[in-house]
């Protein structure tokens, strides 16, 4: 990298570093397929870019990467802040690299734009795993909409798999719709919990229980162990009330201590069991196909919505329509139809 010395207006000598030359799509593809982590990071930056001229290159890059066959496993991990997700991912990731696996850690955090930097961007997290040559950690892409953040993460998964990462861990904070988005891009969905005071099932969203392939109660050590075991029984009982899953898998409940590295390897063994079951069942492959279809539909909806709201006629009339609807001067359906007509006219 070359440097150039400049004087700013106050006459202070400054050293400005030239930005690295932008690599071509061919260079990016080559680097990614060779498992070069720094090129992979740059390839992801291209995919995350919102600039129109980057978009075409990003598509070519992704298509090149899709050609490489991968036997990856995608694992989603969720839980409320403080449950121990990053501590767990660090020890789980180290366990996996210890078994000779290559592990990529991604995140879906739609709140990252609000809090200026995602939780995974924090350098103090996963200090050991960051240093591991067989691990790759990428913070959540930023974005205004969950759909946008999730789409970029999906594309990043493809790049990581092409780069030879065989286990992709995708973390999400347990808020809003982000869990549903992550669930629809992974093979296995793990919910991390803490043992409470006998009220385990309170405050847990039904939808999340239904999505989980495993519930793991963390911080199960010392005085907390007994409570964690009681919580385990309670969750097991609750899960029995749900109808059997279409994937032929009965969700499991276990306890672990991420800090003491207890119960961690058992989670990996459980995932292997899950893979055996769902591959035999034919679910693994069909689930991936359905997920691709789902994301196509999601993306169409998102693009259409974006296009609609960017139309000048819609921009001009939306505010007044909202006002009229609020005052009961026009029905919401009629107002939507009028706006839709404006939009269609402008498209012609
Ligand atoms: P996150 O917000 O879900 O990512 O949670 P963190 O991994 O940052 O952990 C939150 C706090 O819980 C930190 O102080 C961790 O050291 C602690 N912690 C994480 N795992 C364990 C565990 O297994 N046992 C105990 N006692 N503390 C833990």
């Amino acid at each position: 990298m070359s440097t150039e010395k400049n004087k700013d207006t106050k006459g202070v000598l400054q050293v400005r570093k030239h930005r690295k030359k932008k690599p071509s799509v061919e260079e990016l593809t080559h680097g990614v397929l060779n498992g070069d982590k720094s090129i992979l990071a740059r390839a992801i930056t291209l995919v995350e870019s919102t600039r129109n001229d980057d978009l075409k290159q990003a598509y070519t890059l992704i298509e090149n990467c899709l050609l490489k066959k991968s036997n990856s496993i995608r694992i989603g991990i969720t839980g409320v802040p403080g449950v121990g997700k990053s501590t767990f991912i660090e020890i789980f990731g180290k366990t996996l690299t210890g078994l000779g696996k290559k592990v990529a850690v991604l995140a879906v955090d739609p709140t990252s734009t609000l809090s200026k930097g995602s939780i995974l961007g924090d350098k103090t997290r996963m200090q050991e795993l960051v240093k591991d040559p067989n691990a790759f950690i990428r913070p959540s892409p930023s974005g205004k909409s969950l759909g946008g953040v999730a789409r970029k993460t999906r594309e990043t998964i493809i790049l990581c798999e092409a780069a030879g990462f065989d286990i992709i861990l995708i973390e999400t904070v347990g808020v809003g719709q982000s869990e549903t988005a992550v669930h629809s891009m992974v093979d296995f969905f793990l919910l991390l919990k803490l043992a409470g005071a006998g009220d385990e099932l309170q405050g847990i969203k039904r939808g999340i229980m239904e999505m989980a392939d495993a519930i793991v109660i963390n911080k199960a050590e010392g005085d907390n162990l007994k409570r964690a075991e009681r919580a385990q029984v309670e969750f097991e009982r609750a899960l029995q009330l749900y109808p059997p899953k279409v994937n032929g898998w009965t969700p499991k409940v276990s306890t672990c201590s991420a800090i003491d590295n207890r119960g961690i390897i058992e989670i990996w063994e459980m995932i292997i069991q899950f893979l055996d079951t769902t591959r035999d069942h034919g679910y693994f492959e069909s689930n991936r196909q359905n997920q691709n279809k789902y994301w196509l539909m999601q993306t169409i909806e998102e693009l259409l919505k974006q296009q609609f709201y960017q139309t000048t006629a819609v921009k001009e009339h939306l505010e007044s329509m909202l006002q009229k609807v609020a005052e009961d001067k026009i029905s919401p359906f009629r107002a939507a139809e009028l706006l839709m007509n404006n939009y269609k006219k402008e498209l012609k």
Side-chain angles (χ1 to χ4, degrees):
M1 187 188 292
S2 62
T3 58
E4 181 187 289
K5 292 187 175 178
N6 272 341
K7 289 199 173 202
D8 71 9
T9 46
K10 287 181 190 137
V12 180
L13 199 65
Q14 282 199 330
V15 178
R16 200 182 70 201
K17 287 183 176 171
H18 277 307
R19 285 187 69 84
K20 274 191 212 161
K21 185 183 139 283
K22 213 173 160 186
S24 66
V25 176
E26 290 70 35
E27 284 165 333
L28 288 175
T29 305
H30 185 75
V32 169
L33 294 180
N34 276 322
D36 181 328
K37 285 206 279 186
S38 67
I39 296 277
L40 173 62
R42 301 194 74 182
I44 296 172
T45 304
L46 175 72
V47 163
E48 288 177 353
S49 166
T50 47
R51 290 169 46 150
N52 268 339
D53 49 340
D54 284 339
L55 213 59
K56 232 176 123 194
Q57 290 197 313
Y59 288 146
T60 312
L61 173 66
I62 292 164
E63 274 160 21
N64 292 344
C65 289
L66 275 173
L67 295 174
K68 174 133 174 220
K69 286 283 154 264
S70 157
N71 281 324
S72 74
I73 303 155
R74 303 165 184 171
I75 302 169
I77 296 165
T78 189
V80 294
V83 71
K85 290 182 296 301
S86 57
T87 315
F88 174 83
I89 291 171
E90 164 121 303
I91 190 71
F92 189 56
K94 290 294 292 176
T95 305
L96 295 174
T97 58
L99 293 170
K101 306 282 181 197
K102 285 187 76 184
V103 180
V105 181
L106 312 178
V108 170
D109 178 7
T111 60
S112 59
T113 28
L114 302 176
S115 59
K116 296 228 167 27
S118 85
I119 41 157
L120 266 180
D122 181 351
K123 287 277 180 283
T124 58
R125 301 177 104 234
M126 305 179 201
Q127 276 170 336
E128 286 303 311
L129 202 56
V130 166
K131 287 186 263 168
D132 193 320
N134 284 322
F136 176 78
I137 301 180
R138 180 82 180 185
S140 175
S142 56
K144 288 199 192 79
S145 73
L146 170 62
V149 171
R151 195 169 67 233
K152 289 174 199 168
T153 305
R154 284 237 347 145
E155 291 174 339
T156 298
I157 294 176
I158 295 165
L159 300 186
C160 290
E161 289 173 349
F165 288 91
D166 35 29
I167 299 182
I168 318 287
L169 304 179
I170 304 158
E171 174 187 357
T172 190
V173 277
V175 286
Q177 293 299 304
S178 58
E179 278 150 336
T180 312
V182 170
H183 179 252
S184 55
M185 61 176 87
V186 297
D187 307 309
F188 187 91
F189 196 67
L190 191 156
L191 170 63
L192 276 183
K193 289 290 294 175
L194 291 178
D199 57 352
E200 317 310 341
L201 300 171
Q202 281 180 24
I204 180 165
K205 287 174 264 173
R206 191 190 149 93
I208 293 172
M209 284 282 276
E210 269 162 314
M211 282 192 271
D213 295 300
I215 296 174
V216 177
I217 300 145
N218 189 32
K219 308 195 186 182
E221 81 268 308
D223 292 348
N224 220 7
L225 185 58
K226 278 259 155 344
R227 272 195 297 160
E229 284 167 354
R230 275 201 300 274
Q232 180 178 5
V233 174
E234 209 174 312
F235 277 121
E236 274 165 353
R237 227 179 264 148
L239 281 173
Q240 282 169 8
L241 302 175
Y242 289 92
K245 287 191 150 213
V246 285
N247 59 11
W249 171 255
T250 313
K252 304 280 182 291
V253 187
S254 72
T255 63
C256 81
S257 167
I259 274 194
D260 287 354
N261 191 1
R262 194 192 68 75
I264 302 294
I265 186 80
E266 287 81 354
I267 294 169
W268 174 237
E269 285 160 2
M270 180 208 294
I271 294 173
I272 293 176
Q273 217 190 327
F274 170 88
L275 293 170
D276 287 345
T277 308
T278 54
R279 282 192 175 127
D280 285 352
H281 188 272
Y283 175 83
F284 187 89
E285 208 32 58
S286 69
N287 183 46
R288 285 228 176 156
Q289 288 168 1
N290 287 335
Q291 287 180 340
N292 285 344
K293 291 183 199 165
Y294 169 83
W295 284 100
L296 167 64
M297 300 311 287
Q298 283 287 105
T299 311
I300 291 174
E301 276 172 41
E302 177 134 347
L303 293 179
L304 280 176
K305 245 203 281 187
Q306 261 176 25
Q307 195 187 42
F308 178 79
Y309 288 115
Q310 278 164 6
T311 316
T312 318
V314 173
K315 274 195 218 155
E316 268 171 18
H317 298 295
L318 184 59
E319 234 2 89
S320 69
M321 284 295 182
L322 283 169
Q323 192 59 35
K324 283 184 192 159
V325 164
E327 291 167 1
D328 266 339
K329 287 186 177 150
I330 185 171
S331 87
F333 312 103
R334 178 72 185 134
E337 197 186 3
L338 290 173
L339 287 168
M340 205 63 199
N341 287 343
N342 284 339
Y343 161 72
K344 284 194 265 186
K345 245 186 250 160
E346 197 168 311
L347 278 190
K348 279 184 190 152

